[in-house]
Amino acid sequence: MERKTGPRCGEDNCSSRRYHLDSGSWWCERGHRSYQLDVKGVDDDGFTGGQNVVTATKRKEKQERVQTLFTGGKKIELYLQCYQFVLRQQCWALIHEKGLPAELETVVHDLWVLRLQNFSGLLQRSDLEDSVKAQEFSTQSDAEDEEKNKYGLRRQTAWTHPESLPNLIQTLALCYLSSVILRFPLLIGDLVRWANAGEIVYMTASKSLQESMKQRLHGFLLLKLEASSILAPDQLQTVVTDVAANYNSLFGVEVPALSYPPLLYRIMRELCLPLDVYPAAVALKELLQYQFSFPSAKEKEPKKYSGADQAQVQLVCCIVIAVKLLYPFDQAKRYPHTSAEPASTVLDWDVWASKMKDPEPMNRDGPLTNQEAWKITEGDIMAMDKDRLDDYLDWYEKTIMDEEVLSKAPGYKGREVWFDTFPVSSTRTREPPPSPALSDHVSDTTQRLRDIQSSLKMRRAVTDKEAEKSKKEVQRPGSGYRFYLEPIHLEGHARLFYEKTADFVGMSVVTLLRTVGETEKRVKRRWRAKKEDLAYVSDDGED
């Protein structure tokens, strides 16, 4: 009979250390079975050697993990490879799931190759730790980084500086500029919605990387591939202008002007606006001499950019001003001179608002969207009911937790039996519906558009002679034009229209108000100058 000496038995306060093997199990001299020895086995040296081996093995594994971190130029090269991997995943989703042309990947590739030229000398350096040391202790998020340059262009040296590695949000800017080059009607608001909804890689970009890549990447570089919060309005607008200007100044790449007809159609259709808005917006574009082009860093590098210098913002401002001129929110009666004028049609804003209002917020029985989950605070969690809390934990497990990393955590294998017995994954299928692709036919938008268009009415025309005969003051289209300077000035239909417009194009209401106000001043100056020119020509003709 085989006998061994091992640790104290402990069963019923048994102090025996002598064991014998019987029927494949170890028993102490007092008849107690040692389940611990059955699982682990024993060593000839009294079980101490096995523990030392485990400790040495763990120490060796930890040492190997530390040594796998890349340093110097290899560290930056690996980060750029991870960045490129995220960029390719975004292109794949935009092409195969959102309906963008396949040439998008080629254009993004070409722009990215140009960007890599800034790192050709950087990758050859072996003493890179000093140059990026400041980043290692920086806690700035992408939003804070862009806030410094909210209204201005970064200096050209920013992209060539050793510490200037591309941020995660610049991947979306590259995708957008590539769509502009391809003349595809993509809005910045589309990318913001898809990124916040998790339909393209952005919020947890590092989770999509292979584990072998993440193990060799420093933590502060890995954090650059993580978004600290959902994309805020205006954030991507500023980055797009910055990236376009830097490509123009450093590489001579001139991004073409926006192909505004399809974009104008998309915005009008989504907002269910009458067709007369189109020629009015085009007329404002001609008056303001807008090209809807991206500013050049060589032309305006010394001065700061304003929101009205951004191409898409200029287009949106023309639409908003055209709506305010043709269909005022106060719905006062304004009589055109003839029935052929665009302002002869009247938009029923009550019908428009009833069709455009969102459903009641956050249906308790509905699925939890990605945007809602990211905005949840500690107080919201404490107030959640059972089903909503299950939804939030399911979302957290799917979005934040990394099963591959968790499986390698100390003590995980010992808890596997508990996870199998009490699974934490929900068996319910409560996935929120994805946003439709650009090529999909959205039936509800079409129905809303039909209902609103059918409610249009005609305003009776009043000529100047009829107005003189009536001896009453007749308001004409454009009179009583209302200027909105602050969000508190918005009320009723005006507030809903501004909110819907800003949300669809990827802007905040505050920025939309400010840029529309700047554009209105430009319109006033241009119109006054045009009238003076006409008067000057008329005087020359009389002479």
Side-chain angles (χ1 to χ4, degrees):
M1 180 181 296
E2 185 178 356
R3 298 182 183 274
K4 296 287 184 182
T5 302
R8 182 175 176 272
C9 175
E11 186 74 18
D12 295 333
N13 295 324
C14 178
S15 59
S16 176
R17 294 179 179 271
R18 297 178 181 179
Y19 298 88
H20 63 274
L21 185 63
D22 185 10
S23 300
S25 300
W26 291 95
W27 303 80
C28 75
E29 59 183 357
R30 296 184 180 179
H32 299 137
R33 183 178 178 180
S34 176
Y35 293 94
Q36 182 181 6
L37 299 185
D38 289 344
V39 176
K40 292 185 176 180
V42 293
D43 292 336
D44 295 335
D45 297 336
F47 305 92
T48 56
Q51 296 178 0
N52 292 336
V53 172
V54 173
T55 304
T57 304
K58 291 183 178 179
R59 188 183 301 112
K60 183 178 180 181
E61 290 177 354
K62 182 178 181 181
Q63 184 178 5
E64 289 178 351
R65 287 198 300 268
V66 173
Q67 292 175 351
T68 56
L69 290 178
F70 284 168
T71 59
K74 290 185 177 180
K75 175 172 60 177
I76 300 302
E77 183 179 3
L78 177 60
Y79 173 78
L80 295 177
Q81 290 175 350
C82 295
Y83 192 90
Q84 179 175 315
F85 184 79
V86 173
L87 194 58
R88 292 194 64 180
Q89 286 188 314
Q90 291 177 346
C91 292
W92 191 94
L94 291 174
I95 294 171
H96 295 88
E97 297 180 3
K98 298 304 179 183
L100 271 70
E103 294 79 7
L104 178 75
E105 185 174 2
T106 303
V107 179
V108 171
H109 171 268
D110 294 340
L111 293 177
W112 176 240
V113 168
L114 289 176
R115 182 72 171 95
L116 287 177
Q117 294 180 10
N118 295 127
F119 306 104
S120 58
L122 186 63
L123 296 176
Q124 299 175 2
R125 297 178 55 182
S126 60
D127 55 343
L128 197 62
E129 277 70 27
D130 294 337
S131 64
V132 296
K133 188 175 180 180
Q135 290 188 18
E136 191 164 356
F137 300 98
S138 176
T139 58
Q140 277 190 336
S141 62
D142 289 347
E144 294 170 347
D145 186 46
E146 300 301 333
E147 187 69 22
K148 292 183 178 180
N149 305 279
K150 189 171 183 179
Y151 307 114
L153 172 67
R154 297 181 183 179
R155 293 174 296 178
Q156 297 179 14
T157 57
W159 273 27
T160 58
H161 197 276
E163 297 182 9
S164 179
L165 294 176
N167 291 328
L168 181 61
I169 193 175
Q170 292 182 11
T171 59
L172 300 179
L174 287 178
C175 293
Y176 175 76
L177 293 177
S178 300
S179 69
V180 174
I181 294 174
L182 294 172
R183 320 296 288 174
F184 190 82
L186 181 69
L187 292 170
I188 292 179
D190 296 327
L191 291 175
V192 173
R193 282 189 296 275
W194 295 336
N196 289 340
E199 297 173 21
I200 59 176
V201 176
Y202 180 75
M203 297 302 299
T204 55
S206 63
K207 189 177 179 181
S208 63
L209 300 175
Q210 297 180 3
E211 186 63 24
S212 58
M213 302 175 73
K214 291 188 287 186
Q215 286 179 351
R216 292 167 173 79
L217 193 63
H218 281 259
F220 73 94
L221 291 176
L222 196 60
L223 286 177
K224 292 179 70 68
L225 298 177
E226 289 282 357
S228 58
S229 60
I230 61 176
L231 272 175
D234 307 326
Q235 190 177 351
L236 187 55
Q237 294 270 5
T238 306
V239 177
V240 165
T241 304
D242 172 43
V243 172
N246 277 283
Y247 268 102
N248 180 267
S249 62
L250 296 177
F251 311 114
V253 176
E254 185 174 352
V255 180
L258 294 180
S259 180
Y260 70 89
L263 288 174
L264 185 56
Y265 167 77
R266 277 201 63 202
I267 298 174
M268 288 179 53
R269 185 178 185 277
E270 179 66 24
L271 299 178
C272 299
L273 298 176
L275 293 177
D276 291 326
V277 174
Y278 189 98
V282 174
L284 287 171
K285 167 191 174 296
E286 299 297 333
L287 177 64
L288 295 169
Q289 299 180 356
Y290 278 163
Q291 302 299 324
F292 300 140
S293 59
F294 294 87
S296 171
K298 295 180 179 179
E299 297 175 357
K300 300 187 67 175
E301 194 268 338
K303 66 182 294 186
K304 292 183 176 181
Y305 290 141
S306 64
D309 291 318
Q310 299 172 357
Q312 182 179 287
V313 175
Q314 293 176 349
L315 176 62
V316 175
C317 289
C318 290
I319 296 175
V320 173
I321 296 176
V323 171
K324 292 174 65 176
L325 285 171
L326 298 180
Y327 312 105
F329 300 112
D330 57 8
Q331 302 191 67
K333 292 184 178 181
R334 296 174 175 84
Y335 299 93
H337 292 85
T338 64
S339 58
E341 295 182 18
S344 60
T345 57
V346 180
L347 176 62
D348 192 336
W349 283 106
D350 293 331
V351 175
W352 183 89
S354 64
K355 299 297 181 180
M356 295 297 294
K357 277 186 178 179
D358 293 327
E360 292 299 323
M362 199 156 183
N363 182 7
R364 303 301 295 180
D365 296 330
L368 189 66
T369 64
N370 200 61
Q371 295 94 321
E372 292 172 342
W374 279 105
K375 294 179 181 179
I376 287 177
T377 62
E378 292 85 349
D380 297 332
I381 294 177
M382 299 301 294
M384 284 181 179
D385 57 19
K386 178 178 61 176
D387 293 335
R388 183 59 63 177
L389 186 59
D390 286 341
D391 283 341
Y392 178 71
L393 293 178
D394 291 342
W395 170 86
Y396 190 92
E397 180 187 11
K398 178 182 177 181
T399 307
I400 305 298
M401 293 179 61
D402 194 332
E403 187 65 25
E404 187 174 359
V405 175
L406 184 63
S407 61
K408 297 181 180 180
Y412 178 83
K413 293 183 178 179
R415 297 194 298 266
E416 285 181 340
V417 62
W418 296 102
F419 293 151
D420 294 338
T421 306
F422 303 101
V424 295
S425 299
S426 176
T427 57
R428 299 172 303 166
T429 57
R430 293 167 58 87
E431 294 293 333
S435 300
L438 295 179
S439 58
D440 291 346
H441 178 75
V442 186
S443 58
D444 55 346
T445 302
T446 303
Q447 187 60 41
R448 286 201 309 266
L449 186 60
R450 290 174 178 173
D451 295 340
I452 294 175
Q453 294 290 335
S454 63
S455 66
L456 293 176
K457 300 178 181 179
M458 294 294 296
R459 180 77 72 190
R460 180 175 62 89
V462 177
T463 63
D464 292 336
K465 292 183 179 180
E466 293 175 345
E468 291 177 359
K469 290 181 181 180
S470 63
K471 297 181 180 181
K472 294 182 180 180
E473 183 180 0
V474 178
Q475 290 188 350
R476 296 298 185 182
S479 62
Y481 187 87
R482 180 78 180 274
F483 295 90
Y484 302 99
L485 304 179
E486 299 291 340
I488 58 175
H489 299 156
L490 294 174
E491 56 185 11
H493 305 317
R495 173 175 292 277
L496 181 60
F497 175 76
Y498 270 82
E499 290 176 350
K500 285 290 183 181
T501 304
D503 179 70
F504 182 64
V505 301
M507 300 172 59
S508 66
V509 176
V510 175
T511 301
L512 182 59
L513 283 171
R514 186 186 69 251
T515 52
V516 168
E518 294 177 6
T519 308
E520 288 170 338
K521 293 178 182 178
R522 294 186 184 185
V523 171
K524 192 174 182 180
R525 290 195 300 266
R526 292 282 184 178
W527 181 249
R528 187 184 296 114
K530 186 175 181 179
K531 291 177 64 176
E532 292 176 356
D533 292 341
L534 291 175
Y536 179 77
V537 172
S538 177
D539 293 341
D540 288 346
E542 293 177 0
D543 293 340

